[in-house]
């Protein structure tokens, strides 16, 4: 099997997936009970105004035409106009995306930094105390209702102990930094405002921890399982039998092989991360895509909900594709033959 | 999530033959965590069935004189903003929350298994088309789709159940199809076909009974995650609506009071955590038992 033979079907699938997302979101927005034109024009609009809005939206045309227009707009990056903010959905998403990325990336890094070693040691000392702790932590992580955990953490660290802030990205006293990357940690430093940077860090601690905890469970469990698989392999026994030290065998032979299948897991964890971010942001009033979509849901702002769905789905699929390719490159069995 | 090897089926047939006592002993000895899971689920079932007997108050009875009371001997979990007893509401909430999760798994499993088995038996173009469609749906972030779907259908417990059930179907289609493909080549299925049995007959009498045990493991494992998802959808306002005693909705209304009346949101959330944990522990335990390769670890 050559690499092209693996990549080409994936690219074909990608095309269908993007097309599928378009069909699904289009179908959903046409499934809404009620008249979208009336939602936009308001309850008191005259029949004439409604007719105009309908024509502007292309709602008077056949459904197939409407779909073609919808796809063409998507390809041009036009996700429609939010009913609530009255701004293009694409612009809204661009505004809120960096906050979500900052929170999501930090959480992922934290979850990997804790989860991978925990999984590895859990597998090495199977059934020992470390293993018991790791398994308890991972079951708790997997079973934790993120929205509730966030609330409890706020209650504890913000309300009772009063050591960390419980909402927002910066303390009231600081103005938001000029947008360069949209990441407050970077932008505040670029402006040389170290006190604002510290405030941003303090605001990130609780939400990052809450979001990381759920993913920590999944990661620990996966690493433990694949590490246990690898440790049973013949080549591990051979390596040990040939006199290599245990530490060398574990870190140079076992871990490297156990990590490869875990790469794909990162892609799947991303789905959980996305969903967890929606809940975490809501709880911590974090001004990101999650808060945006939940507010949109509560105000029945369908263009915004569908815009978020399209962007989130396509982003998710693309990242998974990149991860799968990385996996193929990392796996010598595929790389060497290709 | 869990791939079950057809070869591991042999072990699946062995477990139920053991006596119940032996089974419990096996659990305590081999995996105390599974026993904890079993205990949680048993208590939960008792709670769901016996809610009217366990709950000390009517969950919807308003007592304005006892608003936002902290936990006490009279109100174990305290009371809410109109004086309803939270302990009773959490007890009754198990019916809505677990009932919803159970229905979701049942709906997605029934549809998924039917489509998957059919796909495996019929084969050909139908099978390829079905699998490509499932590939597309699986490639998408399921929960985001469920959210969009639930929002479009309109906020209600039933609609959110439907939305989650739909996005969970592909996992069962794949699993059932895999089972069917391996069963299709077995002698008893081939013999049945020689006698002129129809596809539906084979599906009903040969495929379903044999494919059931890995499907049930998958369903138990799913249940924990789905309790969380159903509660989360209620929390963001897409599922059960406020007057209903449902855990996610209770946490959501408790959120406005969290700083001063910590008990309001804390206890319903704890119920979600414990339930999800019970399902996960039990599901893991059952899977390990059915998979001898994992069991010896």
């Amino acid at each position: 099997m050559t690499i092209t033979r693996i990549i080409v079907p994936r690219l074909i699938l990608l095309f269908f997936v993007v097309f599928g997302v378009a069909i699904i979101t289009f179908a959903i927005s046409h499934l809404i009970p009620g008249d979208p034109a009336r939602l936009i024009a308001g309850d008191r609009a005259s029949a004439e105004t409604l007719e105009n809005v309908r024509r502007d939206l292309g709602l008077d045309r056949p459904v197939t035409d409407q779909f073609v227009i919808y796809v063409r707009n998507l390809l041009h990056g036009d996700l429609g106009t939010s009913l609530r903010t009255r701004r293009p959905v694409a612009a809204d998403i661009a505004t809120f995306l960096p906050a979500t990325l900052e929170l999501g990336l930090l959480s992922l890094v934290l979850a990997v930094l804790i989860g991978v070693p925990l999984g590895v040691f859990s597998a090495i000392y199977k059934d020992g105390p470390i293993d018991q702790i790791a398994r308890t932590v991972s079951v708790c992580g997997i079973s934790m209702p993120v929205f509730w955990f966030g609330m409890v953490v706020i209650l504890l660290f913000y309300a009772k102990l009063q050591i960390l802030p419980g909402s927002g990205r910066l303390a009231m006293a600081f103005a938001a930094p000029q947008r360069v990357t949209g990441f407050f940690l970077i932008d505040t430093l670029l402006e040389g405002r170290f006190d604002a940077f510290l405030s941003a860090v303090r605001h990130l601690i609780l939400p990052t921890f809450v979001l990381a905890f759920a993913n920590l469970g999944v990661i620990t469990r996966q690493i433990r399982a694949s590490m246990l698989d690898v440790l049973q392999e013949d080549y591990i026994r051979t390596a040990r039998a040939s006199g290599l030290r245990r530490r060398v065998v574990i870190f140079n032979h076992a871990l490297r092989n156990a990590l490869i299948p875990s790469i794909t897991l990162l892609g799947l964890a991303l789905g959980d991360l996305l969903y967890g971010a929606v809940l975490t942001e809501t709880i911590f009033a974090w001004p990101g895509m999650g808060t945006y979509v939940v507010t949109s849901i509560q105000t029945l702002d369908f263009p915004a909900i569908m815009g978020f769905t399209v962007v989130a789905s396509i982003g998710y699929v693309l990242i998974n594709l990149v991860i799968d390719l990385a996996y193929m490159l990392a796996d010598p069995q595929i790389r060497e033959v290709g | 999530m869990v791939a079950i090897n057809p070869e591991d089926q042999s072990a699946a047939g062995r477990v139920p033959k053991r006596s119940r006592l032996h089974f419990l002993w096996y659990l305590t000895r081999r995996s105390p965590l599974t026993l904890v899971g079993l205990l949680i689920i048993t208590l939960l079932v008792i709670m769901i069935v016996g809610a009217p007997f366990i709950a000390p108050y009517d969950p919807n009875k308003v007592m304005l004189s006892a608003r936002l009371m902290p936990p006490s001997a009279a109100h174990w979990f305290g009371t809410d903003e109109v004086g309803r007893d939270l302990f009773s509401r959490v007890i009754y909430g198990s019916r809505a929350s677990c009932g919803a999760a159970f229905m979701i798994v049942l709906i997605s499993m029934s549809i998924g298994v039917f489509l998957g088995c059919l796909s495996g038996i019929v084969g050909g173009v139908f099978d390829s088309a079905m699998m490509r469609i499932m590939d597309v749906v699986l490639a998408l972030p399921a929960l985001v789709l469920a959210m969009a779907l639930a929002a479009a259908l309109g906020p209600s417990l039933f609609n959110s159940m439907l939305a989650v059930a739909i996005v969970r179907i592909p996992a069962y289609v794949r699993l059932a199809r895999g089972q069917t493909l391996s069963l299709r080549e077995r002698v008893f299925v081939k013999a049945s076909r020689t006698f002129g049995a129809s596809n539906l007959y084979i599906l009903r009498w040969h495929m379903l009974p044999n494919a059931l045990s890995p499907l049930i493991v998958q369903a138990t494992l799913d249940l924990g995650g789905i309790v969380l998802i159903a509660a989360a959808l209620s929390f963001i306002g897409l599922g059960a609506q406020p007057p209903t005693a449902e855990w996610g909705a209770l946490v959501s209304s408790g959120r406005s009071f969290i700083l001063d009346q910590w008990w309001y949101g804390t206890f319903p959330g704890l119920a979600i955590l414990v339930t999800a944990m019970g399902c996960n522990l039990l599901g893991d335990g059952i899977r390990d038992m059915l998979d001898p390769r994992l069991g010896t670890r």
Side-chain angles (χ1 to χ4, degrees):
Chain A
M1 257 205 293
T2 63
I3 287 187
T4 36
R5 232 191 273 169
I6 299 166
I7 293 176
V8 170
R10 292 300 310 257
L11 289 178
I12 295 173
L13 177 66
L14 179 71
F15 171 77
F16 279 107
V17 166
V18 173
F19 194 64
V21 175
I23 291 181
I24 292 170
T25 48
F26 178 78
I28 291 178
S29 26
H30 279 72
L31 197 123
I32 316 165
D35 184 352
R38 189 164 282 287
L39 271 175
I40 291 175
D43 284 339
R44 295 194 192 154
S46 65
E48 199 186 337
T49 323
L50 271 180
E51 204 47 52
N52 284 333
V53 172
R54 215 165 268 148
R55 198 171 322 117
D56 285 349
L57 292 174
L59 289 174
D60 53 343
R61 307 221 207 148
V63 176
T64 43
D65 283 13
Q66 289 186 38
F67 182 67
V68 172
I69 296 171
Y70 180 72
V71 172
R72 200 170 55 207
N73 287 344
L74 278 188
L75 291 177
H76 288 101
D78 177 3
L79 299 169
T81 307
S82 159
L83 304 180
R84 182 169 52 92
T85 63
R86 308 268 164 188
R87 292 186 343 134
V89 174
D92 274 348
I93 288 178
T95 309
F96 293 116
L97 186 62
T100 301
L101 285 182
E102 186 172 44
L103 176 62
L105 285 176
L106 279 175
S107 302
L108 191 62
V109 169
L110 185 67
V112 168
L113 281 183
I114 302 175
V116 172
L118 204 59
V120 169
F121 284 106
S122 171
I124 298 172
Y125 301 107
K126 188 184 170 301
D127 292 329
I130 294 182
D131 188 26
Q132 302 296 348
I133 293 170
R135 286 166 73 179
T136 312
V137 168
S138 81
V139 168
C140 284
I142 291 164
S143 314
M144 188 63 80
V146 177
F147 53 97
W148 176 76
F149 188 45
M151 239 170 63
V152 172
V153 166
I154 289 178
L155 177 67
L156 205 66
F157 291 92
Y158 169 71
K160 298 281 179 239
L161 299 176
Q162 303 192 336
I163 46 175
L164 285 168
S167 70
R169 296 179 78 184
L170 270 183
M172 290 289 204
F174 299 105
Q178 200 71 37
R179 180 166 168 162
V180 183
T181 58
F183 285 23
F184 277 15
L185 288 189
I186 299 176
D187 289 358
T188 48
L189 280 185
L190 286 178
E191 289 179 3
R193 289 158 57 198
F194 198 68
D195 46 353
F197 171 78
L198 278 184
S199 172
V201 170
R202 282 164 50 82
H203 279 79
L204 266 165
I205 293 176
L206 290 184
T208 306
F209 172 69
V210 167
L211 187 50
F213 189 68
N215 282 282
L216 179 70
V218 183
I219 291 175
T220 307
R221 178 186 266 212
Q222 166 69 22
I223 295 284
R224 177 177 183 272
S226 58
M227 194 69 186
L228 282 174
D229 262 340
V230 171
L231 286 176
Q232 282 186 340
E233 295 286 344
D234 288 341
Y235 61 79
I236 296 295
R237 188 159 9 101
T238 311
R240 284 285 286 147
S242 64
L244 284 176
R245 265 180 301 169
R246 187 176 150 85
R247 194 153 43 91
V248 175
V249 174
I250 284 171
F251 289 101
N252 291 3
H253 295 74
L255 184 57
R256 282 172 69 178
N257 285 297
L259 281 181
I260 292 175
S262 305
I263 296 178
T264 39
L265 181 92
L266 271 186
L268 297 176
L270 219 64
D272 290 343
L273 198 73
L274 193 64
Y275 182 65
V278 170
L279 297 171
T280 313
E281 286 184 7
T282 310
I283 286 289
F284 287 95
W286 189 259
M289 293 234 289
T291 306
Y292 178 68
V293 76
V294 170
T295 322
S296 302
I297 285 172
Q298 281 155 0
T299 52
L300 296 180
D301 184 354
F302 282 98
I305 302 171
M306 294 311 140
F308 168 80
T309 310
V310 168
V311 171
S313 305
I314 293 177
Y316 176 76
V317 170
L318 282 178
I319 293 174
N320 268 296
L321 179 72
V322 171
I323 287 173
D324 280 1
L325 295 182
Y327 167 67
M328 286 164 191
L329 292 178
D331 189 342
Q333 284 178 353
I334 298 174
R335 190 185 54 214
E336 301 290 315
V337 184
Chain B
M1 193 170 98
V2 190
I4 284 137
N5 234 322
E7 280 87 357
D8 300 335
Q9 290 278 307
S10 52
R14 264 204 323 268
V15 173
K17 284 182 196 149
R18 292 177 176 164
S19 71
R20 288 220 175 86
L21 218 64
H22 188 130
F23 173 72
L24 280 180
W25 167 237
Y26 173 86
L27 275 187
T28 21
R29 194 167 40 98
R30 284 297 292 278
S31 149
L33 282 181
T34 313
L35 195 70
V36 173
L38 189 66
L39 205 70
I40 293 174
I41 299 301
T42 312
L43 287 177
L44 199 68
V45 171
I46 294 174
M47 198 158 109
I48 293 168
V49 176
F53 305 103
I54 301 169
Y57 299 88
D58 177 342
N60 295 313
K61 191 175 165 228
V62 173
M63 276 192 296
L64 289 173
S65 57
R67 288 193 320 228
L68 295 170
M69 301 280 276
S72 62
H75 300 283
W76 290 3
F77 291 177
T79 61
D80 69 4
E81 73 270 33
V82 290
R84 290 174 295 207
D85 178 50
L86 280 169
F87 181 63
S88 305
R89 284 179 76 70
V90 169
I91 298 280
Y92 271 94
S94 66
R95 291 188 163 183
S97 294
C98 301
F102 190 75
M103 284 306 291
I104 291 170
V105 173
L106 203 68
I107 296 172
S108 52
M109 188 163 100
S110 320
I111 299 177
V113 168
F114 177 74
L115 291 178
C117 288
L118 202 65
S119 197
I121 295 176
V122 175
V125 182
F126 180 79
D127 184 37
S128 321
M130 176 72 73
M131 284 302 115
R132 290 300 81 73
I133 294 174
M134 293 305 143
D135 281 349
V136 169
V137 181
L138 274 175
L140 298 172
L143 299 169
V144 173
L145 271 190
M147 261 168 47
L149 209 56
L153 291 171
S156 82
L157 186 59
F158 179 78
N159 287 343
S160 72
M161 273 164 52
L162 206 63
V164 181
I166 290 173
V167 299
R168 288 300 307 162
I169 289 175
Y172 288 100
V173 173
R174 275 205 175 168
L175 189 59
R177 177 178 174 268
Q179 287 290 313
T180 311
L181 287 184
S182 71
L183 285 169
R184 199 168 63 173
E185 304 305 320
R186 299 280 284 273
V187 179
F188 61 89
V189 175
K190 284 185 169 168
S192 185
R193 209 175 271 290
T194 352
F195 286 121
S198 70
N199 277 340
L200 272 180
Y201 180 90
I202 293 177
L203 177 66
R204 167 68 187 82
W205 297 106
H206 293 310
M207 300 299 191
L208 278 184
N210 282 296
L212 216 56
S213 75
L215 284 165
I216 286 175
V217 175
Q218 174 72 37
T220 323
L221 278 169
D222 262 9
L223 215 51
I226 285 178
V227 167
L228 290 182
I229 295 165
L233 285 182
S234 290
F235 176 78
I236 55 177
L238 283 173
Q241 297 304 299
T244 318
E246 192 271 349
W247 294 339
L250 285 176
V251 176
S252 175
S253 18
R255 193 188 157 204
S256 343
F257 300 95
I258 191 69
L259 295 186
D260 296 311
Q261 284 84 26
W262 59 269
W263 58 89
Y264 192 163
T266 306
F267 289 115
L270 211 56
I272 303 173
L273 170 66
V274 172
T275 304
M277 213 180 244
C279 294
N280 282 325
L281 289 175
L282 189 64
D284 278 353
I286 295 178
R287 185 196 50 199
D288 288 356
M289 256 184 284
L290 295 185
D291 186 347
R293 196 174 51 96
L294 283 166
T296 50
R297 276 176 187 167

